[in-house]
Structures are given as structure tokens and as C-alpha cells.
Amino acid sequence: MINSRLFKVFNTAAFLIFLSNSVVFGQVTGSSAGGRTNSKTDLAEQAEARVLLITDNAGKHFKQGLSNLQENRRSAAREDFDKSVEVFLMSGVNVQSNQKLRDCYSQLTETIYRMEFPAKQLPQIRSLSATCNWNVENDLADKIAKLVQTAPAAPTGTTALMAPKTNNSSDSEILQGFSEQKFEVSPLDDLAKLELTPEEQQVEANPVAQQQYQYIQYAVSNKSLGFSFQVHPKIQGFVNYYQGRGRGTMETGLYRSGMFMRMARRIFREEGVPENVAWLGQVESAWKPSALSWASASGLWQFIPGTGARYGLRRTSHLDERNSFEKSTRASAQYLKFLANRYGGNWELALAGYNSGEGNVDRAIRKAGVANFWIAYPYLPKETRDYVPNILAVVLIANNPNQYGFGHVRPAPPLMYDRIRVPPSTNLSLLAQASDTSVEYLRYLNPELRSNVSPPEPYIINVPAGKSNDVVAVFKKLPASNRNMASITRTAVGESWQNIANRTGVSVEQLQSANVGAKTPKGKIVVPNSNNVKKTNYARPTTQMIMPTTSGVRVVKAKSGDTVAKIAAREGVSAVELAKYNGLFPTSSLSSGREIKIPSR
């Protein structure tokens, strides 16, 4: 939730750190016993003032966020709530060491989460206001709590990342609370309403369906799928559905499966679960990591909070591991293995239990008098009756797409990434710069993260493939105390420390201190943020000034609202090359008057 705007508050953060350090470490004079007592009193008062400053600043942003949310300015509200949390994160104070700060911060993150992800439990805005002493009006608190429970749906028709749009795909998204973080409707919601037509259920009178039904019998008898199940016409009914009106859904699922199926097969194999059972992910989420059902089931494997917790998927104000690629996949395999063992290796009953819970399956078995899915079928919830044959149909089609008319679908390439352990509360903006990517893509690779800051513990983060060494190299240069108070810049060939100091506004000494061991700047270097540096203020030019240089490199001054890409377009040069030449990114926003070097052509 805390976005890439985080670096814009660094100057404020630096001031807070400067203030807190002044309060804690400021010298207190006085040599008498009375002087020492006064010193202790002064320090206590100063510490209390520091806590009050932090909570007051956080409260101002939070109350502004409530006002924006009340006026339906949701994007602005999200930014205000981000800023409220950032006051704590960027204060330079150990929040956990002070009970008032700890309680206020904990309730703040929980309340924001309750507003972003509405559930039965309402956000406790009144309680937060009392804890932090923010004086939020009770009427406003109650109105906001009610508002986020009835958040409007976002427009439908948005195509998911990397997914081909089809006429039959369900790509509608829902807006949660004040946030514009997007979730995709789980296909399970539509499955609960799906009714096979008489034509789709017809097997005997349809020669093609009859032939395919015989293939199912053959595939089951020779155990080519890795697990056994009982052949039933209902399975062929779902095959017929996918070959007809559900074709787009199957094509989209087969395409998306390429991103995750290799990982799923590996983990299911490691957990002792038949690899083909992993195709239930297609029915559960259509391989959408952001899928969310009406029952608050989330992620690729659609865990509800309770079942996720049973299998070690943590859900805190910092992360929701139900959305993790690998952790949720392993939890899914472990749950399926538990269910299969519970029902004596019967995978149909195991799949039924995965959908509706083992309690419903146990009751259906007791009523049927035998542990057989098709005999217990009438006693199961309707959604579960369709869920199991649906998955079996998907398994059959996925294992022989040519026979069923899906041979033209080429699965997407596997989603590749490196995994690295990062320090507590690492800013994703810093990680994005170190790995040459965007915060948005890091959030896509780490959908379990609830903000743009990693959890307050060492945590394994996915970064773009091949970038782990770059990230590790940057972090080796960064002192722990400055880890989230710095940015990264790429140097140009032959560039000196002084060149970099000139364009970043940071002294040569500070640059060298932040890049221990680097005799000359090379590759990516760390640029510390400091409130002690005197920035150069440029007057906004009436026209763009072009200053020739003797080296064949021209220098232009940016206009208000310029980015590197905009200047590159005006100058007729490559945005990527211009960014590299100036140690920036093509999308970097430039302040008015910022000098940009244009290489000679």
C-alpha cells in the first residue's frame, strides 16, 4: 500500500531523525545532584515531546485520509494513509521500544488494513483515535466504517497482467475499501452459479462425446494421470462445457498455467501429492495470484483465513501469505495430502474436502453410508458436486490438449525470479532501483506484501531473474542505519565522484562514505539523503536553455513536469541511453531547472 512516493518524504524523515537525535543525544549541563535530576526530567520531557510530535504528524495525515475517503477521493485517501504510516517508519525511532508509539502504530496499521480489506470485523477507528489521542469525531468514524463495508465495484473488463483477453474470461475487478489495489474475482464465484445445459450433459447421443468418454475410461484404467478416480458422465459434461461456451475460460487458464505450473508440480511432488492434482489451481483461481472470492478466500489456491493459518500462512498488517506463490502452493499440497489420507487415498473426496471443508464431506459420507464421492454426491453442497468433476475435466484436457481441440494454446513462459533475504522493513523502492525494475513489478512478484515495505523481520523477497547479485552488491555497500534513507543511481562510463555530486546534490565525501571500498564510481552506487546538503535552487526558465560544452556534450535544463523520457523525445535520442548517461531512469521525474546531459550524436 505504501507506494513509490516514499522517497518524497525523505526530507521530512531526515528532519524527524535529526530532531529525535537532538532530543536523545543533546548535551545537558549541570554537575550537582540537582542538575542530574533536572537532566533526567528534561530528557523525559523531551522524549515525551518527541513521541507527541510523531503521533501528531501521523494523526494529521490519517484524519486527512478519512476526509478524502468520505468525499470518495480514494486515491488521495490512500496516499494520506500511506503518509500516516510513513511518519512512524521514517522517524528514526524504535517504535517497539515505546508503548504509546507501539500501541498507536499497531492499531493504525490494523485499522488501515480493515478499511482496505473489509470483512465482518469493522475498522476500530474510535479505538485508534483514543489510543493515539487524535480526536476523530465519532460520527465520522462510524460513517467511514460503514462506507468501507459497502465499497463500490470497479469497472469490469480489465484484462489481467500477462493474460490474453477472451470473450469468456472473467476479468472483473473489485475495489476494496479506500484502496485502488486491485483484486480479480475468483472463478469459484461463477462456478457456484454454473449449470450444465442438457446438450452439455448429453454423452450417449453425441458420438464425439461418447468417444471422448471412452478415452476417460482408458486414461483412468492405465493410471496415466498419476492418480485414480471413478469415471462418471458428469466429467464428460464439463469437458463438453469447456469445448463450447467455456472455451475462452479454458484457453485463458491453459495460457496462465505456464507461469505457475512448473513450480506447482515441483512442490506437489516434494510433498508427495500427484502432480496432476495441481490443476485444481485452474478451477480455484484461473492462475490469478490476486483472485479473491466472496468468502474472502484469496490467492492462487484460494485459502480462507482459518485454513491458511492451519497450514502456516501468516496474515498480519504487513503481509498475507495466502497470496505468496510458493508458500501458499506448499500449504495447498499439504492440505490436500491431509485430506487424501483422511479419506483413504480417495482423491475425489479429498478434492471435495478442499472445496467445502472436511466437515461437510464427513457428514455426506455418514449419510451415504460409504466413502464414495458419487454415492455421497446428493448430500454434498451443490458447488462441491460440480467442483470435483470440473477439476477432473481440466486434468484430462490439460494432459491431452490436442485431442480436445486446445493444441493451439501455448502456455505462458514460467514466471522466473530470484529469491533473496532482505533486512527488516526494507523499502521496495530501494530494491526496485537496485534490481532495475519498478515497485509495481516487485509487488506483482511478491503479492503477499501489503505495503511497499517488507515485514519488520528478515524476509525472503522475489526479485527479477538474474538481479539477485546486483541487489546483494548494493546492500553490502549500505550501512544498516541508512538503508532506507538512500537511493541508487547508475554511473556513466568515466564519470567522477564530483560529477555525481553535482547532479545529486550530495557531497563527494558523503558519496564515498556511503560506498565503502569503491575507489571510483562504477555501476550502481548509493546516494545518501541528507538534510544538511544545500540544494541548488533554479529559477524556472522562460525558455529551455541549451548550453554547449567543449566536450561535445550538450546540457539542457528540464521544464516543470519533465521526465527523462520527455526530454529524450524532444531531443531525438534514446530515453534508455539518456537515462543511463545521467544516472537516472527513463521515468525519473525532474525538477524545474535540473541539468540533463545530452550525448553528442
Side-chain angles (χ1 to χ4, degrees):
M1 182 181 63
I2 302 172
N3 53 37
S4 57
R5 174 191 42 72
L6 191 58
F7 281 99
K8 295 182 181 179
V9 301
F10 275 158
N11 287 337
T12 301
F15 168 73
L16 288 172
I17 292 175
F18 171 76
L19 177 63
S20 65
N21 288 342
S22 300
V23 171
V24 175
F25 300 111
Q27 183 178 2
V28 180
T29 60
S31 58
S32 66
R36 287 192 295 271
T37 301
N38 290 337
S39 298
K40 293 180 180 179
T41 302
D42 290 344
L43 285 174
E45 290 176 351
Q46 291 167 351
E48 185 176 348
R50 177 183 57 178
V51 169
L52 184 62
L53 174 66
I54 295 171
T55 55
D56 280 356
N57 285 339
K60 290 175 184 177
H61 292 303
F62 182 79
K63 287 187 281 188
Q64 182 61 45
L66 294 180
S67 298
N68 279 322
L69 184 55
Q70 184 181 21
E71 299 298 326
N72 203 34
R73 294 190 290 265
R74 296 174 180 270
S75 180
R78 180 186 63 178
E79 291 190 9
D80 289 325
F81 292 137
D82 286 349
K83 291 176 182 177
S84 182
V85 174
E86 287 165 6
V87 170
F88 289 93
L89 294 176
M90 306 305 296
S91 67
V93 176
N94 183 355
V95 173
Q96 298 302 316
S97 66
N98 181 279
Q99 183 175 352
K100 181 175 177 60
L101 288 179
R102 181 173 64 248
D103 292 346
C104 183
Y105 175 74
S106 177
Q107 287 195 36
L108 172 65
T109 54
E110 178 65 21
T111 301
I112 292 175
Y113 171 70
R114 292 295 178 192
M115 290 191 289
E116 186 175 8
F117 301 93
K120 293 181 180 179
Q121 184 176 347
L122 294 173
Q124 301 300 310
I125 301 175
R126 286 194 186 192
S127 175
L128 171 67
S129 175
T131 298
C132 301
N133 196 27
W134 285 345
N135 298 320
V136 177
E137 295 181 3
N138 289 339
D139 289 345
L140 176 60
D142 295 341
K143 184 179 295 185
I144 295 298
K146 183 178 180 181
L147 176 66
V148 297
Q149 290 294 307
T150 56
T156 60
T158 304
T159 306
L161 177 67
M162 298 179 69
K165 187 170 180 63
T166 65
N167 293 332
N168 300 81
S169 61
S170 176
D171 289 320
S172 59
E173 299 171 331
I174 54 179
L175 183 65
Q176 291 294 313
F178 63 86
S179 175
E180 291 181 330
Q181 182 176 358
K182 294 178 179 178
F183 292 84
E184 299 172 88
V185 175
S186 167
L188 288 176
D189 292 346
D190 289 334
L191 174 62
K193 308 169 188 174
L194 179 63
E195 295 280 355
L196 294 179
T197 66
E199 292 76 16
E200 289 166 345
Q201 296 181 62
Q202 185 58 253
V203 176
E204 293 184 1
N206 184 332
V208 175
Q210 182 63 32
Q211 183 180 5
Q212 292 176 348
Y213 188 56
Q214 291 174 358
Y215 167 75
I216 297 175
Q217 295 171 317
Y218 171 76
V220 171
S221 64
N222 70 8
K223 301 181 180 180
S224 61
L225 299 173
F227 69 104
S228 297
F229 55 88
Q230 186 176 339
V231 179
H232 191 279
K234 189 88 171 182
I235 302 171
Q236 182 60 42
F238 275 95
V239 171
N240 295 342
Y241 163 76
Y242 283 123
Q243 290 177 310
R245 60 192 175 112
R247 173 171 290 277
T249 300
M250 176 59 65
E251 289 176 339
T252 300
L254 290 176
Y255 172 82
R256 286 178 173 146
S257 71
M259 290 187 283
F260 302 105
M261 196 60 186
R262 178 189 293 180
M263 172 201 68
R265 285 186 178 277
R266 170 179 58 81
I267 292 176
F268 273 51
R269 182 170 62 251
E270 291 170 355
E271 295 295 333
V273 176
E275 294 178 29
N276 271 318
V277 174
W279 283 104
L280 74 82
Q282 183 151 319
V283 175
E284 287 285 341
S285 67
W287 306 109
K288 300 175 183 178
S290 56
L292 182 72
S293 78
W294 67 270
S296 296
S298 185
L300 286 171
W301 307 98
Q302 290 292 282
F303 276 103
I304 60 174
T307 308
R310 266 173 66 186
Y311 287 89
L313 300 179
R314 293 181 297 163
R315 189 165 171 261
T316 71
S317 58
H318 302 282
L319 53 83
D320 187 343
E321 291 182 334
R322 296 179 301 160
N323 294 333
S324 164
F325 297 152
E326 303 206 12
K327 290 181 180 179
S328 68
T329 301
R330 194 167 298 279
S332 176
Q334 291 172 350
Y335 185 32
L336 284 162
K337 186 175 183 178
F338 161 79
L339 291 167
N341 290 335
R342 185 184 187 92
Y343 300 119
N346 186 309
W347 283 102
E348 293 146 297
L349 292 174
L351 294 172
Y354 192 95
N355 177 252
S356 64
E358 53 266 37
N360 280 325
V361 176
D362 291 347
R363 283 189 291 272
I365 290 173
R366 285 197 299 270
K367 291 178 180 179
V370 60
N372 181 290
F373 174 79
W374 294 108
I375 296 177
Y377 181 90
Y379 308 108
L380 290 166
K382 179 193 176 299
E383 179 183 336
T384 306
R385 295 179 217 161
D386 289 340
Y387 176 87
V388 173
N390 190 342
I391 290 175
L392 298 176
V394 169
V395 170
L396 289 161
I397 294 173
N399 276 269
N400 199 342
N402 289 319
Q403 175 170 322
Y404 292 102
F406 294 94
H408 63 286
V409 179
R410 177 172 295 181
L415 187 61
M416 304 298 289
Y417 47 83
D418 292 347
R419 309 187 73 204
I420 61 171
R421 186 181 298 275
V422 300
S425 302
T426 296
N427 193 305
L428 293 194
S429 183
L430 183 65
L431 278 175
Q433 293 175 71
S435 57
D436 298 318
T437 189
S438 65
V439 171
E440 288 73 19
Y441 189 61
L442 284 182
R443 291 296 299 272
Y444 179 74
L445 291 179
N446 299 274
E448 71 272 27
L449 298 181
R450 285 180 168 166
S451 75
N452 287 356
V453 178
S454 71
E457 63 189 60
Y459 195 77
I460 294 176
I461 294 287
N462 299 331
V463 298
K467 293 296 181 179
S468 57
N469 290 338
D470 289 354
V471 176
V472 171
V474 167
F475 272 78
K476 283 182 177 179
K477 298 178 182 178
L478 276 168
S481 58
N482 295 329
R483 184 167 293 124
N484 286 331
M485 294 295 294
S487 56
I488 309 298
T489 188
R490 184 186 292 276
T491 61
V493 177
E495 195 169 22
S496 68
W497 289 116
Q498 187 61 56
N499 292 143
I500 300 170
N502 291 342
R503 64 179 171 83
T504 61
V506 177
S507 70
V508 171
E509 291 76 15
Q510 288 174 309
L511 287 170
Q512 292 175 329
S513 177
N515 294 272
V516 179
K519 295 181 179 180
T520 58
K522 184 178 180 181
K524 296 188 184 75
I525 66 165
V526 178
V527 179
N529 290 325
S530 171
N531 64 321
N532 297 322
V533 178
K534 293 183 178 180
K535 304 287 185 180
T536 302
N537 294 318
Y538 294 97
R540 181 174 180 177
T542 54
T543 59
Q544 187 179 35
M545 297 178 63
I546 300 178
M547 297 173 289
T549 67
T550 57
S551 62
V553 176
R554 294 183 300 116
V555 178
V556 301
K557 285 189 175 182
K559 300 177 182 178
S560 178
D562 266 351
T563 64
V564 173
K566 287 183 180 179
I567 291 181
R570 285 202 300 265
E571 299 296 326
V573 298
S574 164
V576 174
E577 292 304 317
L578 185 61
K580 289 181 179 179
Y581 197 79
N582 287 273
L584 299 168
F585 294 99
T587 56
S588 294
S589 297
L590 305 174
S591 58
S592 177
R594 171 72 180 268
E595 294 183 359
I596 296 296
K597 295 179 294 184
I598 310 293
S600 58
R601 285 172 286 184

